[in-house]
């Protein structure tokens, strides 16, 4: 049993990280044009306009909440004079609302993918595998959040968070995670499974950002007030006309 705990909480996280990094690099090298969600907006936009924002904005708050809860130790919030009960109430309300919004948005998107024939036809094998895992990750996270409503509930900041931060020190605190309730362990394992599948699914588009937009050249627009026959293509492009030959 001790070897299993070491494998799950001391070795597996680093294997998942290696798959995430190497898989993303491989995908970028051999499928650079595949770094996209393969948008299906042309097939259906009504459900997408509702489910898309719900899922993405909810997920953004979920990720931010995980970052705060896992990376910021309890001692730091105490120095900031944030009482522990205030922290947990805020995490419960904001995190629970964000998780429910993410789940609702994902449910709408899955319903859309199953209902619209053109969107269903464009569903890849990786989508069929990743979507159930993503649903299970969210459900497990909401279940773990709901356990904090119980009196004398488990304080993940003294267990799961300690284990997570110890991974960055290359000295995993296996006992901290092994002693966590089952809901937290299942949530962590499903999360690692999701990150292992990430590079090979449409989720990889999360790593793309339009950084080139910041350094792109200015776009020169032609004025509609000038008749087409009187335009000078050179001046329209911002280049002075060449001098006539002598």
């Amino acid at each position: 049993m001790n070897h299993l705990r070491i494998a799950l909480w001391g070795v597996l996280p680093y294997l998942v990280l290696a798959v995430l990094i190497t898989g993303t690099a491989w995908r970028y090298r051999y499928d650079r044009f595949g770094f996209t969600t393969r948008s299906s907006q042309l097939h259906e936009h009504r459900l997408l306009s509702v489910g898309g924002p719900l899922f993405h904005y909810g997920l953004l708050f979920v990720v931010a909440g995980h970052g705060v809860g896992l990376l910021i130790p309890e001692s730091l919030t105490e120095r900031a004079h944030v009482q522990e009960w205030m922290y947990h109430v805020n995490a419960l309300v904001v995190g629970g609302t964000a998780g429910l919004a993410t789940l609702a948005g994902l449910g709408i998107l899955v319903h859309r993918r199953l209902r619209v024939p053109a969107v269903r036809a464009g569903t890849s094998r990786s989508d069929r595998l990743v979507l159930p895992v993503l649903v299970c990750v969210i459900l497990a996270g909401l279940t773990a959040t709901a356990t904090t409503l119980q009196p004398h509930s488990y304080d993940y900041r003294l267990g799961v968070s300690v284990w997570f931060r110890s991974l960055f020190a290359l000295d995993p605190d296996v006992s901290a995670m092994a002693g966590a309730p089952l809901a937290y362990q299942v949530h962590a394992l499903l999360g690692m499974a999701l990150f292992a599948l990430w590079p090979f699914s449409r989720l990889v588009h999360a790593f793309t950002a339009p950084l080139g937009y910041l350094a792109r050249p200015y776009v020169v627009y032609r004025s509609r007030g000038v008749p087409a026959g009187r335009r000078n293509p050179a001046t329209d492009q911002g280049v002075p006309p060449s001098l006539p030959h002598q």
Side-chain angles (χ1 to χ4, degrees), residues 33-48:
F33 293 102
F35 266 63
T36 175
T37 58
R38 297 181 177 89
S39 177
S40 57
Q41 185 176 3
L42 293 176
H43 302 300
E44 197 281 335
H45 68 278
R46 184 176 61 86
L47 292 174
L48 183 63

Side-chain angles (χ1 to χ4, degrees), residues 25-195:
W26 174 86
R27 179 79 178 271
Y28 185 78
R29 174 66 177 81
Y30 293 101
D31 188 24
R32 186 173 302 181
F33 293 102
F35 266 63
T36 175
T37 58
R38 297 181 177 89
S39 177
S40 57
Q41 185 176 3
L42 293 176
H43 302 300
E44 197 281 335
H45 68 278
R46 184 176 61 86
L47 292 174
L48 183 63
S49 64
V50 177
L54 265 178
F55 173 73
H56 287 93
Y57 285 113
L59 187 61
L60 182 63
F61 279 95
V62 168
V63 172
H66 277 68
V68 172
L70 295 175
L71 296 177
I72 298 180
E74 190 173 353
S75 58
L76 189 59
T77 55
E78 291 178 352
R79 294 177 187 175
H81 304 288
V82 177
Q83 298 182 12
E84 194 63 18
W85 69 269
M86 294 177 58
Y87 176 89
H88 284 290
V89 168
N90 180 73
L92 178 62
V93 173
V94 177
T97 303
L100 290 174
T102 305
L103 183 62
L106 182 59
I108 294 174
L109 295 177
V110 171
H111 170 71
R112 172 181 177 269
R113 188 162 294 277
L114 295 176
R115 175 189 174 188
V116 181
V119 180
R120 185 173 63 249
T123 303
S124 63
R125 294 180 179 177
S126 62
D127 295 332
R128 296 188 181 95
L129 179 61
V130 168
L131 287 176
V133 175
L134 185 56
V135 171
C136 292
V137 169
I138 299 174
L139 288 175
L142 288 173
T143 302
T145 302
T147 60
T148 59
L149 294 172
Q150 302 174 357
H152 308 291
S153 59
Y154 172 75
D155 189 355
Y156 67 90
R157 302 184 74 194
L158 301 180
V160 178
S161 299
V162 173
W163 165 77
F164 185 78
R165 292 194 298 270
S166 69
L167 295 175
F168 294 94
L170 302 182
D171 186 19
D173 192 341
V174 175
S175 60
M177 191 62 197
L182 180 62
Y184 289 89
Q185 294 182 351
V186 171
H187 183 52
L189 290 174
L190 289 173
M192 286 189 283
L194 181 64
F195 281 112

